[in-house]
Each structure stands twice: as C-alpha cells, then as structure tokens.
Amino acid sequence: MSAAALEARGLTLVYGSGETAVRALDGVDFQANAGEIQALMGPSGSGKTTLLMILGCLLHPTAGEVRVEGQLVAGLPNPALARLRLQRMGFIFQSYNLFPALTAAENVQVALELKGHDLGEAPALLELVGLGGRLHNFPRQLSGGEKQRVAIARALAGAPPILLADEPTAALDSINGRAVVKLLAQLAHEQRRAVVVVTHDPRVGDLADRIVHIEDGRIQC
Amino acid sequence: MMRGQAYRWGMGMAGLLAWRNLAHDRSRFVVTLVGISFAVVLIAMQIGLFLGFTDSATNVIRHTRADFWIVPKGSRNFEITMPLSERELYLARSVPGVAHAEALLVQFAIWKKPGGGDESVLLVGADLNTGLAGPWNIVAGHLEDLRRPDTVMIDRLFAETLGVSALGTTVEIRDQRARVVGFTQGIRSFTTNPWVFASYRTAQHLTQFAESETNYVIGTFEPGADPVRVQDALARILPRTDVDLSEQFAARTRDYWMFTTGAGASVLVSAVLGLLVGMVIVAQVLYATTVDHLPEFGTLRAMGAPRAFVYKVILSQAVISATLGHLPGIAASLLLAKASESGAALVLIPPSLAVGLFGVTLIMCVFASIISIRKAMDIDPAMVFQR
C-alpha cells in the first residue's frame, strides 16, 4: 500500500507559555491522498492556516509528526525542508503573491528554474489554466481570477504531487472563484495530485472530496 | 520567448528578477545610478588628483635619462635642496661602472614680470650637450635656442602667471635679464612654482651660484654594469651624499610631497570618503528596494527557493547598479580629466584606474547589499500566509 501524500499525527502547536499560552492546534490527525481535494474549513482563528503551514513544512509543531510521502520531516534541517517544499509541493496564496515585475510566463519560469525544469514548459502550464493568450502580460494587466490562475500554473511547475492552497478564492468574484475551485478539483482528479485547500468558501466544499472542519485547533467530527 | 536582456546575459531568472525589480521603480533606479555615478566621480577625481600630483611632483626626475642621482645627504625632495661640492662630480666620474656624470642646478629664484610684480620660480639648469636633462614637450622654439646666453624656456600653463605673452619677451630673474625663447606644454609643478628651464651656464649666471658648487650630480651606468654595485661604490666614495637610482629619487620626492606634507593623505582621505558616501547611498537604495520586495522574497522562501537564489537576486541588483552607475560616472570623470589638461591641477585617469574603479564600484555595491541580504534572509517564509 502506498503512503499518503501528506500525513499528520497528533499535531499540537502552542504559542507562548504559562498562563498566556495559546493552543493553536491540539492533537490534530490529518491525511491527504493523491487524486483527492480536501477543504479545510472553520471560523477565523480556528487553526486551519496554521495546520496548512505545518503541512507545508513552514512551521514546526510543538508536538506530533508530519510525513510527506512517507518521509518523516521532524528533525530535517531547514535547507532539506526547503528542498522538500520546492520539489514535492506547490503553494497557492490568497493574495496570489506573484512577482509584479515579471510577466505571467516569467512568473512560472522562476518556479521552473528553481525546480530545475525546462523554462519552455511555461506556456503549456499557462495553457493548462486557460491563460495561453496571456503569456506576456504583467500581473497588473490581469484580473484577480487570471492572477490566481497564474499562481496555480506557477504552483504546478515541476509537477509537484502536493498542492497547498490558502484561501485561493477569497479575493475573487463568484465566477472566477468557481472557475479556480473547478480547476483545483480537476488537477486533483485528473493529474492525481493531493490538493489541500484552506477556505471559508462553501463552493470549495461543494467540489471537495472531503471537508475537514477545524474549530479551536481541533478537528470536528 | 522573450525573457529580457538580463536572462540573455546569462544571469538566469534571478538576474531577470533583479533587473526588473530595479527597473520597476524607475525614479528610484535613476536615484541609485546618480548616487553611484556621483561616488565614482568623487573617487575618480580624488585618485586622479593624487596621480596628477604624483606626476607633477616627479615629472622632471622621470624625464631625465639619468640612471642615478647624487644628492646632498638627507635631501627629501627634488625642489628643496642644498649645495653639493663640484668635487663630488669628479669623484663620481672616477667610479668604475659610471659611464657619464654631470651637474644639475635646481634653484628657487624671483622672476620679475615685464608688466610688474614678482613670481617665485624653480630654475633648472642642465647640460644641453648630453640630453640627459632639460625641457621636453617643446611646443614653441627649439632646444638649440637655449644654448644662447641668458635664454630660458617656460611652460605655456604658466605663461600668463609669469606675464609672458610671446616668445622673445624679456624678463628679470634675480635682477638678471633673460629672454624667453621657448614654450613647453604640460610640465606642471607640485609646488605651483613654475619650472624655468635654462642651460647650466645660464642658470649658474642667473642664480649667481658659485662655480664650485652644484645641486645634483646625475649620470649613467656603463652598459652591463650592475646598478646596485655601482650605486654602493658611489655611496662609499661619496659619504656626504645620498646616492639613489632614478626611480628611488622619484619615490623619495613623491613620498615627501604626497605623504610627509599631508597633501596626498588628504586627497586619499577624500577618496575614501567618496567610497563611503557611495556605499551609504547604494546601501540605502538597495535596502529600500529589498524592503519593497520583501513579500516576494518571502514567497520565494516559502516556495523552497534556496538561499543562494535570494543572494543571487540581491547581488545581481548590486552588480547591475554598479555597472550602470559606473559607466556615466567614469565618462564624466574622463571628461573632467580631459578638461584639467589645460589647468594647473592635473587629474590623471589612466585606463587601469578606470577599470580598477569598476572593481571598486562592484565591491562597494556588493558590500552595500549585505544589509539587504540579511534583511531578506531574516524573513519568516510563513509570513506569506499571514497577509
């Protein structure tokens, strides 16, 4: 049996100490599999973005463990964690986080170069997200939905098996939001990627294979 | 696909990102380049002045064809000197390995201008028959004209200062009449006292220097002679003098004027200040550019970009800024140096200085970017999820 793309056991994260300590996560178990899109939902401050950061190896839990494709990440030095993120994960951010001085194609090419892939793959990736005609446009020349699709194309550079998205539809109107969610679901189902989406957006829930509710740092059954 | 000049220059996406980050805010980029150019001009002019002063301080020594100089013991420079006995000349001629030795007279004198007023000048009297010393770069008149009694040559740079409007002008030097029979071009003096060239006899007459005395003995070695051994032999036989090879005496004079008097030190301090000012300007602008793009560096770190990529972006910004800032700076400096050729203070910017300054500019910009690198590397990559 193949390992889960992402697996977390007993994740706990405590900020501060003593009486002012805050338990952002409290014994969370989580699993994401290839070919599956999961929505992490919950009220603001519930711990869903914190969980995503720990799954993305950007934050160390106070207790518990994370495995990426079966590999335990605890104890890995920062350069190894960065390599793991670079080669095995793609990130999609709420505010797109594109490089404003680079064109759509160049934004994707940065990720391709970092991952050691041919820069010539950029047009195909942008074609995949429906932006084949916008290669040379700068982010300021694109709509919010288009920017997020460029961000998705960038996350897809190097074909990472895991996609982590933080509120990818929060800044989009309903049409663009739905299109982005459909695209993410399509990437999970057709390209066998494990997609984890932190969201408040019920449309994501509609298309997700699984919805995980978090509240007060705990998974709600 | 178009990837921009920076990519084509082999700098990769890091270079392209660096270039675009800089060019994205054009007004700030222009300020950066002006700051770097200003620093380059400041450093180039100060070092150019230093080289110009050095050239002026040693030009008469360097333009003699002498192999060695016998100078009064303890002499510290060419201009201010004590008398030597003529005996030293004859003793020098007797040393094996010395092919030729002759006297050279260098004296301060008062020059009375034809229209009234005095000027202090440095009179150089040389044996014109050997060609070992004397004026060079003669642009009006002939060396032969100096063989006539009481004739002198001056440099065009000082013609107005000395009240000489044309060849043939008669002046007074130490109350002796002398006629200007030639002009040289570009023979400056570190002390700002104009050089006046004459034959040895004329100089002796004009300065009323005793015939049994002189200021320097200069000479040449026989072909194949060991310069150091002959120098040692001269020093042994002339214990009341210092015996220098030509380059040693030039260095002695240069070191006196440039360092003992503090003139050179002040110029070098200005050059270092120029470097510091440039570094502060570049550091400030690169830092501001980095701070503006911190979220992008955060994104790169979150994506898993290695530290080297972030270093490369920031260092590429420094290299691009240095290159584009150096070019107008050195061009302006070369123009100013060219303009200085007609003035009393020469600014010398040889090709090696122009190239060397590019290295200095690069180092300055790279050093200035270290603070920016630290700022970019201090970012918590998780920040991209917290906006």
Side-chain angles (χ1 to χ4, degrees):
Chain A
M1 182 181 163
S2 63
L6 270 177
E7 192 176 10
R9 289 279 171 264
L11 286 185
T12 299
L13 184 74
V14 181
Y15 290 116
S17 60
E19 288 182 4
T20 57
V22 175
R23 289 183 95 78
L25 288 180
D26 191 2
V28 169
D29 294 334
F30 181 85
Q31 185 170 319
N33 300 312
E36 196 176 78
I37 177 168
Q38 283 194 67
L40 282 176
M41 302 186 79
S44 295
S46 58
K48 52 190 188 302
T49 298
T50 302
L51 175 58
L52 193 75
M53 288 195 283
I54 293 175
L55 294 174
C57 306
L58 288 161
L59 199 59
H60 297 287
T62 311
E65 63 176 40
V66 174
R67 289 177 187 271
V68 177
E69 297 178 308
Q71 183 187 1
L72 189 64
V73 301
L76 286 179
N78 282 335
L81 290 174
R83 266 198 305 280
L84 193 66
R85 286 201 300 276
L86 187 64
Q87 299 301 338
R88 311 309 297 165
M89 298 175 188
F91 291 91
I92 300 154
F93 309 102
Q94 178 180 342
S95 308
Y96 326 124
N97 289 49
L98 297 177
F99 304 111
L102 300 183
T103 64
E106 289 162 351
N107 264 281
V108 178
Q109 285 172 336
V110 168
L112 285 168
E113 185 177 287
L114 285 172
K115 296 177 183 203
H117 281 245
D118 181 6
L119 304 195
E121 294 173 18
L125 288 168
L126 285 164
E127 188 72 48
L128 183 71
V129 298
L131 289 177
R134 303 291 240 161
L135 300 182
H136 304 303
N137 286 95
F138 287 91
R140 65 176 181 277
Q141 298 166 318
L142 301 173
S143 69
E146 288 172 327
K147 284 180 198 168
Q148 196 56 291
R149 281 190 277 162
V150 174
I152 292 171
R154 183 176 66 183
L156 291 173
I162 300 161
L163 288 181
L164 301 176
D166 182 38
E167 305 271 12
T169 59
L172 303 180
D173 58 36
S174 59
I175 296 170
N176 278 308
R178 179 161 289 277
V180 164
V181 175
K182 281 180 76 174
L183 178 60
L184 290 173
Q186 190 186 333
L187 290 169
H189 298 145
E190 294 177 8
Q191 298 191 356
R192 300 285 302 159
R193 296 175 203 273
V195 180
V196 181
V197 183
V198 164
T199 186
H200 282 104
D201 188 344
R203 293 166 301 190
V204 180
D206 293 346
L207 288 169
D209 298 308
R210 207 153 25 126
I211 299 174
V212 177
H213 285 281
I214 303 184
E215 204 164 326
D216 298 329
R218 291 180 184 167
I219 303 279
Q220 305 296 305
C221 297
Chain B
M1 184 182 298
M2 290 286 290
R3 289 181 202 132
Q5 289 295 346
Y7 194 88
R8 277 188 240 131
W9 293 340
M11 295 163 74
M13 295 310 294
L16 179 65
L17 188 55
W19 164 245
R20 293 281 181 77
N21 279 352
L22 289 171
H24 200 57
D25 187 343
R26 287 188 186 168
S27 51
R28 175 179 287 166
F29 191 38
V30 168
V31 170
T32 308
L33 298 186
V34 168
I36 295 169
S37 297
F38 176 73
V40 168
V41 170
L42 207 55
I43 299 166
M45 294 308 287
Q46 294 303 327
I47 296 176
L49 266 177
F50 180 85
L51 294 179
F53 284 161
T54 302
D55 184 84
S56 302
T58 58
N59 57 4
V60 177
I61 302 169
R62 287 182 293 105
H63 278 89
T64 64
R65 296 191 188 89
D67 293 327
F68 65 85
W69 287 70
I70 297 168
V71 306
K73 196 142 193 98
S75 285
R76 300 172 76 185
N77 61 73
F78 176 66
E79 289 83 353
I80 304 167
T81 183
M82 301 292 287
L84 269 181
S85 163
E86 204 175 26
R87 181 174 166 269
E88 258 84 16
L89 171 63
Y90 300 125
L91 283 171
R93 284 175 176 161
S94 71
V95 172
V98 172
H100 171 78
E102 66 184 51
L104 183 74
L105 202 62
V106 179
Q107 283 289 300
F108 279 97
I110 298 298
W111 172 290
K112 279 197 174 155
K113 297 190 226 178
D118 296 341
E119 198 69 42
S120 176
V121 298
L122 268 162
L123 186 63
V124 179
D127 184 345
L128 302 178
N129 295 320
T130 62
L132 222 56
W136 68 97
N137 281 356
I138 297 170
V139 292
H142 302 280
L143 189 63
E144 289 303 309
D145 300 334
L146 278 184
R147 292 183 190 281
R148 282 178 273 162
D150 300 333
T151 56
V152 296
M153 275 193 189
I154 61 169
D155 197 276
R156 273 220 165 114
L157 287 170
F158 302 108
E160 194 181 333
T161 310
L162 297 175
V164 176
S165 54
L167 293 186
T169 304
T170 302
V171 297
E172 279 185 28
I173 301 173
R174 284 206 178 168
D175 301 326
Q176 309 285 320
R177 288 166 68 85
R179 198 157 51 88
V180 178
V181 294
F183 288 128
T184 60
Q185 182 72 51
I187 305 181
R188 290 172 179 78
S189 152
F190 181 81
T191 60
T192 72
N193 298 109
W195 294 112
V196 175
F197 293 96
S199 69
Y200 192 86
R201 288 287 163 221
T202 297
Q204 216 170 25
H205 173 237
L206 291 175
T207 58
Q208 292 146 31
F209 212 67
E211 286 202 14
S212 60
E213 290 183 334
T214 189
N215 292 123
Y216 297 106
V217 172
I218 58 175
T220 54
F221 296 129
E222 281 177 350
D226 179 348
V228 177
R229 291 183 70 153
V230 181
Q231 184 185 16
D232 288 346
L234 283 166
R236 273 195 305 275
I237 205 169
L238 302 167
R240 287 179 299 174
T241 67
D242 289 329
V243 181
D244 281 351
L245 300 179
S246 275
E247 56 272 26
Q248 290 172 331
F249 189 50
R252 185 197 291 233
T253 297
R254 180 197 63 217
D255 292 349
Y256 175 79
W257 290 120
M258 302 313 292
F259 300 112
T260 309
T261 65
S266 70
V267 172
L268 284 180
V269 165
S270 300
V272 171
L273 283 177
L275 186 71
L276 290 176
V277 168
M279 207 178 289
V280 168
I281 292 171
V282 178
Q284 193 272 330
V285 176
L286 286 180
Y287 184 77
T289 303
T290 304
V291 168
D292 270 4
H293 294 279
L294 273 185
E296 293 158 46
F297 290 118
T299 302
L300 282 170
R301 300 287 312 281
M303 286 165 63
R307 299 170 85 90
F309 187 85
V310 177
Y311 292 155
K312 202 170 165 188
V313 172
I314 296 175
L315 289 176
S316 297
Q317 288 178 354
V319 170
I320 292 167
S321 302
T323 307
L324 297 183
H326 176 263
L327 292 175
I330 205 66
S333 303
L334 288 170
L335 284 176
L336 290 169
K338 184 75 185 160
S340 79
E341 286 176 7
S342 56
L346 178 65
V347 176
L348 276 181
I349 303 183
S352 56
L353 175 59
V355 173
L357 264 182
F358 177 61
V360 170
T361 313
L362 262 183
I363 292 167
M364 175 179 81
C365 291
V366 167
F367 194 74
S369 68
I370 288 173
I371 304 167
S372 300
I373 287 174
R374 288 194 61 168
K375 182 76 181 172
M377 298 319 295
D378 282 348
I379 304 170
D380 177 3
M383 71 174 274
V384 292
F385 288 102
Q386 292 158 351
R387 298 204 308 153

